[in-house]
Amino acid sequence: MNNITIKIVLVAIFLATFSSIASASNVKGKVAGYDANRKSTPLRNARIVALPSMQGVMSSAAGEFSLEVREDDSLLVVSSAGYTADTLVISAISDKQNIIVQLQNIELEGINVTGSKVATTLDFSGGMRTETITTRGLQKAACCNLSESFTTTPSVDVQYTDAITGSKRIQLLGLQSIYTQFQQKNIPMMRGLASNYGFAFVPGQWLHEISISKGAATVKNGFESITGLINIDYKLPEHENPTTLNFYINDMPMMEVNADHTIKVSDKVTTTLFMHGNLFKREIDHNDDGFLDKPMGNQINILNRWEAGTGIWESRSDFQFMIDDRKGGQMNYHNGNNNDSLRWGMRVKTNRYNANIRNGFMLGDEGANIGTLLSFTHHKQDSYFGNRVFNAEQNSFYANIMYQLPLGASHNDEHHSEHIFSNSNLTTGISLQYDNYREFFNYFYSSLAYRRDNDANVMVPGLFVEYAFGIFNNLNIIAGLRGDIPIINYDTIVMPKSDEETNKVLLTPRLHLKYGIIPDKLVFAASVGRGWRVARELAENSSYLASNRNYILQTHNTIEEAYNYGANMYWTFNLLGCPVDFNMDFYRTDFINQLVVDLDKSPDEVHLYKLDANDKSYSNAFQVDATFQPITNFFITAAYRMNDVKQTTADELRDKPLQSKHKSFLNFQYNTEMNEWAFDFTIDYNGSGRLPMDANGIIKRYEPFVLMNAQVTKAFKFFDIYIGGENLTNYRIKDAIKGNLTPFAAGFDASMIYGPVTGICVYLGIRYKIY
């Protein structure tokens, strides 16, 4: 046992035996709410939380609870889905052993299904199906970055890009993340150059929640959503402690530090500083292939948020700065041997700066408002892979100005009568997305040197209108239409311009519907819409730089277009006295235009070309999942997903390579009554999938594999300590790097990855909460 391991064990033993010495007392009571007949009824699974200690419990089937509060606790917050939360001053409670809390109903446009799901919530309000990974869900995994934050939900797949860079992407509805629109509080992110490595640029410990909407999103969010919309939000001062610290280390060892601190400048101005740093300097090669299993590197990431508001005006501004440097390749290459022409090395260095501001203005007392979103991003990447050089720069500007007008009489109007304009909103606005790209690609193939400069200016102005209305409290419809004009100018002409429809208006219609068959119990939702995007052929497929495949580029700035159709059913019921949340959905994506990434024509080439009008490319995604609670505080989530993704490659319609068609997910979550202990265990089954065609025209398949993750958390008064393990089955892809002995010859390929390269990983972390 080395010194670092000994130190970790000693620290863990010390912290595990340390307990709070503050005195505590017990409070008991009952939580009730009004039913449909305005009769008081006990509320099961209501949450009772003491502040500032954040100790909490959930009420029993009879609405009863018992909670130990600390000496410095001053408030008791009681909440339940569908009811207005209530806050009690503990010192003002006369009988702390017989507390009665009566929660009031709230009127919703749809339903908000939270109840028994502590880690994940499902929301249908306003007509769209939105799954949210809460803070509790994010804490169920190590969550070093955004990609690892999705391991707690069965809806999203984590995809390994290659065996050299260690980067990961996600898949939604069986398609790559480039077809999912990513936003940080409604501002686009993860575009262009960030599509390959951008998930590592978002620290998981900064996140407050992640919202996932499958299918085409509403038109006010933009034109790029094809398979869905994922919106992330960082911690908010009103949701979190003023100061938090997180220390993480794993057995490799990789170290990570996160910190955030909030300062209330005045009654109207608040600022929060987020800081992140990670470091990994050790060379490891557990599979003895001569290449690093995990790249060395470090990252510095700083974000400063400012919030201000006067009641009729609210503003939030974010300023972010990040430097990321990762090094990989053959063993000892970066230890003074990088001038050795016989060794293969990799380095990707990224500088990224971002500034955005959101403003909201209330116009009178009728609810009309104007919202503005502005963002600027600078992204610079310098990289080499063996004898290939790929340097690129992207400058992006985004603007969105929206006007929202409530229509119809207010529900608070005593003369109000139900009509089609009741509970409805009209939203209209204009937007602009501008991207300036500079790309330099230099490589050798068959002893010949090639250079390709891929520069372009892409500007997309657009306008949109959206009408959302709800009627009879159980039907919600959102209908939207937007028109955008893609304007593409080339600074360097590398090939004749394609026949893409640039400088023409592209219409994007979308429709969402939600119907409560049994309000709050049985809900049906559906959506249909068109989405499109401008592809960046080299940047979005740079993972193949980790090979000697020659790029055969036959198109440029392809405008991809697809239609998405989907339906979802949610049903909540009791089974033998246990609450069950059941969900089933199906989505189909049909591509009209697409950039085809063809790995089947030759094992030494990657062909990039536009989908032929007579060829097909589509995705069918089916998922069924259920969460139930057999006993108090014990939750089980089981899911099955089928991704039938096909695309015409090498003149034949085939399954998408490197993807499991069938997947299963099983999660066990248990919290003790006082939330002092939390246990999580997840099993992921990944079915068989195909590999690209080899030189003999043979298509092979990889075998199914199982991944397991587990974590235990112990909560103390001012900090939490968590220990966990990833990939507990120790599964690793055999021969992850083809041709590893001759990395400069044909046949070298580290991009054919469908699972993990590194084995089991054990980690230890501490979260401090400073009030």
Side-chain angles (χ1 to χ4, degrees), residues 549-601:
R549 286 179 178 263
N550 185 28
Y551 281 77
I552 308 298
L553 186 60
Q554 303 175 28
T555 185
H556 196 55
N557 289 301
T558 305
I559 296 181
E560 299 185 282
E561 174 190 351
Y563 285 87
N564 184 279
Y565 323 86
N568 176 269
M569 185 195 75
Y570 171 83
W571 183 26
T572 179
F573 58 93
N574 285 335
L575 179 64
L576 301 178
C578 300
V580 179
D581 292 341
F582 177 83
N583 176 74
M584 181 169 61
D585 59 58
F586 175 81
Y587 290 86
R588 179 179 175 88
T589 306
D590 277 312
F591 281 94
I592 309 302
N593 291 327
Q594 187 183 22
L595 173 66
V596 177
V597 182
D598 194 337
L599 303 174
D600 293 317
K601 286 191 174 183

Side-chain angles (χ1 to χ4, degrees), residues 84 88 106 119 161 235 386 392 421 466 524 540 616 702 718 771:
T84 302
L88 308 178
I106 56 176
T161 61
K235 296 176 181 179
F421 290 108
E466 181 177 284
F524 172 81
E540 295 170 357
K616 294 182 179 180
Y702 59 83
F718 294 112
Y771 301 99

Side-chain angles (χ1 to χ4, degrees), residues 52-226:
S53 71
M54 296 297 292
Q55 299 296 316
V57 296
M58 299 183 74
S59 60
S60 66
E64 298 175 345
F65 69 90
S66 177
L67 173 63
E68 184 179 356
V69 297
R70 309 295 187 186
E71 184 179 27
D72 57 343
D73 284 331
S74 58
L75 299 176
L76 208 63
V77 179
V78 184
S79 60
S80 182
Y83 295 86
T84 302
D86 194 6
T87 302
L88 308 178
V89 179
I90 296 177
S91 61
I93 301 175
S94 57
D95 186 358
K96 294 182 176 59
Q97 300 301 307
N98 189 29
I99 302 173
I100 303 297
V101 183
Q102 181 72 49
L103 299 183
Q104 301 293 322
N105 298 76
I106 56 176
E107 295 184 13
L108 298 176
E109 292 181 355
I111 68 168
N112 184 22
V113 184
T114 55
S116 62
K117 282 191 175 183
V118 177
T120 305
T121 66
L122 194 61
D123 178 28
F124 288 90
S125 61
M128 288 186 61
R129 175 201 184 276
T130 302
E131 178 183 348
T132 300
I133 305 175
T134 65
T135 303
R136 174 67 184 94
L138 294 170
Q139 291 180 352
K140 290 171 62 175
C143 287
C144 294
N145 57 57
L146 181 59
S147 65
E148 297 175 349
S149 303
F150 293 101
T151 59
T152 61
T153 173
S155 297
V156 179
D157 290 322
V158 177
Q159 180 189 36
Y160 300 81
T161 61
D162 59 79
I164 299 291
T165 65
S167 62
K168 299 177 184 178
R169 295 180 295 194
I170 66 101
Q171 291 187 145
L172 186 63
L173 305 185
L175 295 171
Q176 285 187 22
S177 55
I178 55 176
Y179 299 113
T180 300
Q181 188 174 19
F182 283 85
Q183 296 186 341
Q184 193 264 311
K185 204 58 179 178
N186 301 318
I187 290 182
M189 60 182 299
M190 222 73 70
R191 304 175 62 259
L193 298 181
S195 59
N196 241 28
Y197 308 107
F199 291 93
F201 302 159
V202 181
Q205 295 294 333
W206 290 6
L207 296 172
H208 171 63
E209 63 181 22
I210 303 174
S211 299
I212 306 167
S213 298
K214 295 182 179 180
T218 58
V219 295
K220 64 185 178 183
N221 287 307
F223 54 85
E224 291 183 317
S225 170
I226 293 177

